[in-house]
Amino acid sequence: MIDKDFLLKKSKTFCMAPWVEVHVTTIGRVFPCCAAETDEYIGDISIGDTLEESWNSERAKKLRLDILQENKNPLCIDCYTYENLGRNSERDWYNIDFLKYWDRVEMTKDDGELEIFDPPFIDIRFSNVCNFRCRICSPQYSTAWYKDAKKLGQLTDEKKIITPTENPQELWEQVETLIPTIERIHFAGGEPLVMEEHYRILKMLLDAGKTDVKITYNTNFADLTFKGESVLDYWKEFKQVNVGASLDGMGKRGDYMRKGQDWNKIVENRKLMKKICGQHNFHIVCSVSMMNVLHIPDFYRWGVDTEFISPGNISLYYVAYPYLWDIKALPVDKKQEILDKYNAFIEEYLRGDEYYQSIRVKEHFRAILNYMLEEDRKDDLKNFKQYILSLDKIRNENFKEVFPELSDLIE
């Protein structure tokens, strides 16, 4: 007998994801969620696995059993790490949003198999097509990175556009069978707002009358128009759209970190979204690296004070790979400066007891501090310096001019 109350209230491993989601990466690997991207993938459509076969692969079945038996599974390391840092993890909202599918947990066989295959949540990265060359990114996730990567000697093959399978029609046929039962779909990339496949799926949903599907995004939010069509005209037809804007800073700092971004255009796009689709949610998904960690409090304060975002609408994720961006590599004096700034910001600005608006954001900021102070990796700082200078030369940019307060990191 499965103890529902224990799993939901006390279990340190329970997560609904393996019972409700299929996630496919740009290189074809299949996972139970995007936070589980490790070498322990449950399937690989690039070598012919189907989504349904991956759903009940040996690793997928073992994952379900491990979760039910309170055994930590390598696929879930990301959530364990964030929880140990003192903040919520992805599994928290899975267990809230998908609890109504509890009967699937009860239906799980003794070997972990789940016979029913109609995941209500899909997240398929159809390609690495992207219009940005973000500093923390790579050719695997952005076609725009190809030329720079070639100059830096980073390419392992000559493919610019990466897709999950050599047979896209076969993948589309599998996706089409899932459309009638999906409840939520997530788009990321690459950059979804410049992908043909993204608009094809939106049209499929509208044609099927599925305007109640919740649509979520990770997007750089730069181009709201694709081949003459505005994504806002699509979004206004759906009941729930949640835009997670991948923004790491404002003004010239943001434009430097996310090459291709025009900060003024981002601000105008946000105003336009408010005007046309003001009913939908917009929040910042911020990747915290050595470049922006010092400025995140200022960024959040600006966002709330200018009503660019609503209070609480930011999520912080540390950049652990490549190591050269890792904030653990900062020198001790810079870590102390960040610690002092964050603590003052939390005490002075993040006041109140409302969870989403204050307590949740405090947890995210404190988790970044906890992560930064876990380990001293200052020996990796030389890699940061070398990479910054190499990329600056290729792009004709100047780190010191954009981040004068961090210029000592590359002296």
Side-chain angles (χ1 to χ4, degrees), residues 32-92:
C33 75
C34 66
E37 291 189 21
T38 68
D39 291 334
E40 299 289 319
Y41 48 93
I42 62 175
D44 188 345
I45 65 172
S46 72
I47 60 173
D49 295 344
T50 67
L51 299 180
E52 187 167 6
E53 289 168 345
S54 302
W55 180 256
N56 277 314
S57 68
E58 291 305 311
R59 281 181 177 169
K61 292 190 290 186
K62 183 179 185 302
L63 174 62
R64 294 191 189 106
L65 291 183
D66 280 345
I67 286 174
L68 293 176
Q69 296 169 4
E70 286 282 285
N71 298 322
K72 289 190 173 183
N73 188 289
L75 279 161
C76 303
I77 186 65
D78 195 66
C79 283
Y80 304 148
T81 300
Y82 274 108
E83 289 167 11
N84 288 336
L85 291 173
R87 56 155 280 193
N88 63 309
S89 68
E90 300 301 308
R91 76 184 187 101
D92 293 315

Side-chain angles (χ1 to χ4, degrees), residues 51 117 122 124 126 168-182 185 200-201 203-205 207-208 210:
L51 299 180
F117 177 67
I122 62 172
I124 299 175
F126 288 94
Q169 182 55 37
E170 187 174 278
L171 176 59
W172 273 111
E173 290 173 359
Q174 294 180 61
V175 171
E176 286 174 351
T177 65
L178 301 177
I179 291 294
T181 56
I182 65 168
I185 185 166
R200 181 175 175 180
I201 287 183
K203 289 174 183 176
M204 289 169 62
L205 292 172
D207 289 344
K210 292 189 66 67

Side-chain angles (χ1 to χ4, degrees), residues 84 118 127 135 150 155 185 192 220 254 269 368 378 394:
N84 288 336
D118 59 348
S127 76
R135 288 258 169 173
K150 200 166 187 177
L155 293 180
I185 185 166
N220 59 42
N269 284 348
I368 291 298
K378 60 180 180 292
I394 289 172

Side-chain angles (χ1 to χ4, degrees), residues 19-34:
W19 285 270
V20 298
E21 183 181 0
V22 168
H23 166 59
V24 182
T25 69
T26 57
I27 59 174
R29 291 177 177 177
V30 185
F31 294 91
C33 75
C34 66

